[in-house]
PDB file of all heavy atoms in Angstrom:
ATOM      1  N   GLY A 170      -4.354   5.400  11.160  1.00 98.00           N
ATOM      2  CA  GLY A 170      -3.061   5.634  10.466  1.00 98.00           C
ATOM      3  C   GLY A 170      -3.260   6.582   9.314  1.00 98.00           C
ATOM      4  O   GLY A 170      -2.758   6.390   8.200  1.00 98.00           O
ATOM      5  N   ALA A 171      -4.004   7.685   9.585  1.00 98.00           N
ATOM      6  CA  ALA A 171      -4.625   8.476   8.514  1.00 98.00           C
ATOM      7  C   ALA A 171      -3.655   9.094   7.517  1.00 98.00           C
ATOM      8  O   ALA A 171      -4.029   9.322   6.365  1.00 98.00           O
ATOM      9  CB  ALA A 171      -5.484   9.560   9.141  1.00 98.00           C
ATOM     10  N   THR A 172      -2.427   9.390   7.941  1.00 97.00           N
ATOM     11  CA  THR A 172      -1.524  10.042   6.985  1.00 97.00           C
ATOM     12  C   THR A 172      -0.780   9.023   6.110  1.00 97.00           C
ATOM     13  O   THR A 172      -0.014   9.410   5.224  1.00 97.00           O
ATOM     14  CB  THR A 172      -0.453  10.911   7.718  1.00 97.00           C
ATOM     15  OG1 THR A 172       0.349  10.049   8.529  1.00 97.00           O
ATOM     16  CG2 THR A 172      -1.096  11.989   8.571  1.00 97.00           C
ATOM     17  N   GLY A 173      -1.008   7.730   6.324  1.00 97.00           N
ATOM     18  CA  GLY A 173      -0.309   6.705   5.538  1.00 97.00           C
ATOM     19  C   GLY A 173      -0.848   6.579   4.118  1.00 97.00           C
ATOM     20  O   GLY A 173      -1.895   7.156   3.773  1.00 97.00           O
ATOM     21  N   MET A 194      -7.844   8.973  12.389  1.00 98.00           N
ATOM     22  CA  MET A 194      -7.012   8.773  13.587  1.00 98.00           C
ATOM     23  C   MET A 194      -5.556   8.862  13.176  1.00 98.00           C
ATOM     24  O   MET A 194      -5.142   8.225  12.197  1.00 98.00           O
ATOM     25  CB  MET A 194      -7.291   7.431  14.253  1.00 98.00           C
ATOM     26  CG  MET A 194      -6.615   7.320  15.614  1.00 98.00           C
ATOM     27  SD  MET A 194      -6.681   5.678  16.306  1.00 98.00           S
ATOM     28  CE  MET A 194      -8.421   5.483  16.540  1.00 98.00           C
ATOM     29  N   SER A 195      -4.802   9.671  13.911  1.00 98.00           N
ATOM     30  CA  SER A 195      -3.402   9.855  13.513  1.00 98.00           C
ATOM     31  C   SER A 195      -2.533  10.156  14.727  1.00 98.00           C
ATOM     32  O   SER A 195      -2.997  10.728  15.708  1.00 98.00           O
ATOM     33  CB  SER A 195      -3.293  11.021  12.509  1.00 98.00           C
ATOM     34  OG  SER A 195      -1.946  11.227  12.152  1.00 98.00           O
ATOM     35  N   GLN A 196      -1.263   9.792  14.574  1.00 97.00           N
ATOM     36  CA  GLN A 196      -0.264  10.161  15.594  1.00 97.00           C
ATOM     37  C   GLN A 196       0.269  11.561  15.333  1.00 97.00           C
ATOM     38  O   GLN A 196       0.959  12.133  16.163  1.00 97.00           O
ATOM     39  CB  GLN A 196       0.925   9.206  15.522  1.00 97.00           C
ATOM     40  CG  GLN A 196       0.580   7.754  15.757  1.00 97.00           C
ATOM     41  CD  GLN A 196       1.779   6.912  15.446  1.00 97.00           C
ATOM     42  OE1 GLN A 196       2.360   6.314  16.327  1.00 97.00           O
ATOM     43  NE2 GLN A 196       2.183   6.870  14.189  1.00 97.00           N
ATOM     44  N   LYS A 197      -0.004  12.069  14.103  1.00 96.00           N
ATOM     45  CA  LYS A 197       0.596  13.348  13.697  1.00 96.00           C
ATOM     46  C   LYS A 197      -0.426  14.474  13.759  1.00 96.00           C
ATOM     47  O   LYS A 197      -1.629  14.218  13.727  1.00 96.00           O
ATOM     48  CB  LYS A 197       1.103  13.247  12.250  1.00 96.00           C
ATOM     49  CG  LYS A 197       2.086  12.119  12.011  1.00 96.00           C
ATOM     50  CD  LYS A 197       2.626  12.176  10.596  1.00 96.00           C
ATOM     51  CE  LYS A 197       3.445  10.954  10.250  1.00 96.00           C
ATOM     52  NZ  LYS A 197       2.653   9.852   9.670  1.00 96.00           N
ATOM     53  N   LYS A 198       0.084  15.692  13.762  1.00 93.00           N
ATOM     54  CA  LYS A 198      -0.783  16.849  13.587  1.00 93.00           C
ATOM     55  C   LYS A 198      -0.698  17.238  12.117  1.00 93.00           C
ATOM     56  O   LYS A 198       0.398  17.344  11.574  1.00 93.00           O
ATOM     57  CB  LYS A 198      -0.288  18.027  14.426  1.00 93.00           C
ATOM     58  CG  LYS A 198      -0.406  17.807  15.930  1.00 93.00           C
ATOM     59  CD  LYS A 198      -0.722  19.128  16.627  1.00 93.00           C
ATOM     60  CE  LYS A 198      -0.875  18.981  18.142  1.00 93.00           C
ATOM     61  NZ  LYS A 198      -1.657  17.844  18.602  1.00 93.00           N
ATOM     62  N   PHE A 199      -1.835  17.399  11.450  1.00 91.00           N
ATOM     63  CA  PHE A 199      -1.786  17.785  10.035  1.00 91.00           C
ATOM     64  C   PHE A 199      -3.077  18.487   9.692  1.00 91.00           C
ATOM     65  O   PHE A 199      -4.093  18.381  10.384  1.00 91.00           O
ATOM     66  CB  PHE A 199      -1.573  16.566   9.125  1.00 91.00           C
ATOM     67  CG  PHE A 199      -2.669  15.536   9.185  1.00 91.00           C
ATOM     68  CD1 PHE A 199      -3.600  15.434   8.171  1.00 91.00           C
ATOM     69  CD2 PHE A 199      -2.770  14.675  10.270  1.00 91.00           C
ATOM     70  CE1 PHE A 199      -4.624  14.485   8.236  1.00 91.00           C
ATOM     71  CE2 PHE A 199      -3.786  13.744  10.344  1.00 91.00           C
ATOM     72  CZ  PHE A 199      -4.710  13.629   9.330  1.00 91.00           C
ATOM     73  N   VAL A 205     -10.018  14.931  13.481  1.00 98.00           N
ATOM     74  CA  VAL A 205      -8.878  14.033  13.732  1.00 98.00           C
ATOM     75  C   VAL A 205      -8.836  13.640  15.194  1.00 98.00           C
ATOM     76  O   VAL A 205      -8.890  14.490  16.069  1.00 98.00           O
ATOM     77  CB  VAL A 205      -7.530  14.712  13.338  1.00 98.00           C
ATOM     78  CG1 VAL A 205      -6.372  13.737  13.575  1.00 98.00           C
ATOM     79  CG2 VAL A 205      -7.544  15.177  11.897  1.00 98.00           C
ATOM     80  N   LEU A 206      -8.756  12.334  15.429  1.00 98.00           N
ATOM     81  CA  LEU A 206      -8.585  11.790  16.786  1.00 98.00           C
ATOM     82  C   LEU A 206      -7.097  11.502  16.964  1.00 98.00           C
ATOM     83  O   LEU A 206      -6.495  10.857  16.082  1.00 98.00           O
ATOM     84  CB  LEU A 206      -9.255  10.431  16.884  1.00 98.00           C
ATOM     85  CG  LEU A 206     -10.680  10.279  17.334  1.00 98.00           C
ATOM     86  CD1 LEU A 206     -11.080   8.798  17.252  1.00 98.00           C
ATOM     87  CD2 LEU A 206     -10.791  10.748  18.773  1.00 98.00           C
ATOM     88  N   SER A 207      -6.530  11.903  18.076  1.00 98.00           N
ATOM     89  CA  SER A 207      -5.124  11.543  18.323  1.00 98.00           C
ATOM     90  C   SER A 207      -5.065  10.062  18.700  1.00 98.00           C
ATOM     91  O   SER A 207      -5.834   9.592  19.543  1.00 98.00           O
ATOM     92  CB  SER A 207      -4.578  12.434  19.429  1.00 98.00           C
ATOM     93  OG  SER A 207      -3.838  11.675  20.348  1.00 98.00           O
ATOM     94  N   THR A 208      -4.131   9.321  18.097  1.00 98.00           N
ATOM     95  CA  THR A 208      -3.983   7.899  18.419  1.00 98.00           C
ATOM     96  C   THR A 208      -3.688   7.714  19.904  1.00 98.00           C
ATOM     97  O   THR A 208      -4.256   6.831  20.554  1.00 98.00           O
ATOM     98  CB  THR A 208      -2.842   7.287  17.566  1.00 98.00           C
ATOM     99  OG1 THR A 208      -3.077   7.607  16.199  1.00 98.00           O
ATOM    100  CG2 THR A 208      -2.778   5.770  17.714  1.00 98.00           C
ATOM    101  N   ASP A 319      12.401   8.380   7.046  1.00 97.00           N
ATOM    102  CA  ASP A 319      11.140   9.050   7.402  1.00 97.00           C
ATOM    103  C   ASP A 319      10.116   8.027   7.911  1.00 97.00           C
ATOM    104  O   ASP A 319       9.401   8.284   8.866  1.00 97.00           O
ATOM    105  CB  ASP A 319      10.549   9.793   6.198  1.00 97.00           C
ATOM    106  CG  ASP A 319      11.307  11.077   5.905  1.00 97.00           C
ATOM    107  OD1 ASP A 319      12.082  11.528   6.781  1.00 97.00           O
ATOM    108  OD2 ASP A 319      11.138  11.641   4.813  1.00 97.00           O
ATOM    109  N   LYS A 322      11.015   7.007  11.423  1.00 96.00           N
ATOM    110  CA  LYS A 322      10.785   8.034  12.430  1.00 96.00           C
ATOM    111  C   LYS A 322       9.336   8.523  12.434  1.00 96.00           C
ATOM    112  O   LYS A 322       9.030   9.534  13.047  1.00 96.00           O
ATOM    113  CB  LYS A 322      11.737   9.207  12.191  1.00 96.00           C
ATOM    114  CG  LYS A 322      13.177   8.757  12.215  1.00 96.00           C
ATOM    115  CD  LYS A 322      14.127   9.880  12.499  1.00 96.00           C
ATOM    116  CE  LYS A 322      15.434   9.257  12.960  1.00 96.00           C
ATOM    117  NZ  LYS A 322      16.524  10.069  13.147  1.00 96.00           N
ATOM    118  N   ASN A 323       8.474   7.806  11.738  1.00 94.00           N
ATOM    119  CA  ASN A 323       7.069   8.176  11.573  1.00 94.00           C
ATOM    120  C   ASN A 323       6.882   9.617  11.131  1.00 94.00           C
ATOM    121  O   ASN A 323       6.028  10.347  11.615  1.00 94.00           O
ATOM    122  CB  ASN A 323       6.279   7.896  12.874  1.00 94.00           C
ATOM    123  CG  ASN A 323       4.775   7.909  12.589  1.00 94.00           C
ATOM    124  OD1 ASN A 323       4.352   7.583  11.472  1.00 94.00           O
ATOM    125  ND2 ASN A 323       3.990   8.323  13.541  1.00 94.00           N
ATOM    126  N   ARG A 324       7.706  10.028  10.141  1.00 95.00           N
ATOM    127  CA  ARG A 324       7.566  11.374   9.560  1.00 95.00           C
ATOM    128  C   ARG A 324       6.962  11.255   8.160  1.00 95.00           C
ATOM    129  O   ARG A 324       6.743  12.253   7.508  1.00 95.00           O
ATOM    130  CB  ARG A 324       8.936  12.037   9.415  1.00 95.00           C
ATOM    131  CG  ARG A 324       9.636  12.343  10.727  1.00 95.00           C
ATOM    132  CD  ARG A 324      10.865  13.177  10.516  1.00 95.00           C
ATOM    133  NE  ARG A 324      11.827  12.540   9.609  1.00 95.00           N
ATOM    134  CZ  ARG A 324      13.124  12.419   9.868  1.00 95.00           C
ATOM    135  NH1 ARG A 324      13.644  12.885  10.971  1.00 95.00           N
ATOM    136  NH2 ARG A 324      13.918  11.832   8.983  1.00 95.00           N
ATOM    137  N   HIS A 325       6.754  10.029   7.688  1.00 96.00           N
ATOM    138  CA  HIS A 325       6.318   9.873   6.310  1.00 96.00           C
ATOM    139  C   HIS A 325       4.821  10.178   6.175  1.00 96.00           C
ATOM    140  O   HIS A 325       4.039   9.771   7.012  1.00 96.00           O
ATOM    141  CB  HIS A 325       6.600   8.445   5.800  1.00 96.00           C
ATOM    142  CG  HIS A 325       6.267   8.281   4.362  1.00 96.00           C
ATOM    143  ND1 HIS A 325       5.141   7.625   3.927  1.00 96.00           N
ATOM    144  CD2 HIS A 325       6.886   8.734   3.245  1.00 96.00           C
ATOM    145  CE1 HIS A 325       5.108   7.672   2.609  1.00 96.00           C
ATOM    146  NE2 HIS A 325       6.160   8.338   2.175  1.00 96.00           N
ATOM    147  N   VAL A 326       4.462  10.887   5.108  1.00 96.00           N
ATOM    148  CA  VAL A 326       3.054  11.253   4.890  1.00 96.00           C
ATOM    149  C   VAL A 326       2.663  10.946   3.451  1.00 96.00           C
ATOM    150  O   VAL A 326       3.420  11.257   2.519  1.00 96.00           O
ATOM    151  CB  VAL A 326       2.878  12.784   5.167  1.00 96.00           C
ATOM    152  CG1 VAL A 326       1.505  13.261   4.711  1.00 96.00           C
ATOM    153  CG2 VAL A 326       3.054  13.079   6.649  1.00 96.00           C
ATOM    154  N   GLY A 327       1.529  10.306   3.242  1.00 95.00           N
ATOM    155  CA  GLY A 327       0.953  10.111   1.906  1.00 95.00           C
ATOM    156  C   GLY A 327       1.691   9.106   1.061  1.00 95.00           C
ATOM    157  O   GLY A 327       2.212   8.117   1.552  1.00 95.00           O
TER     158      GLY A 327
END
Side-chain angles (χ1 to χ4, degrees):
T172 63
M194 190 189 296
S195 179
Q196 301 171 111
K197 304 185 188 90
K198 292 214 180 315
F199 63 104
V205 182
L206 268 178
S207 135
T208 308
D319 285 345
K322 302 202 161 173
N323 196 29
R324 294 189 302 228
H325 184 256
V326 170

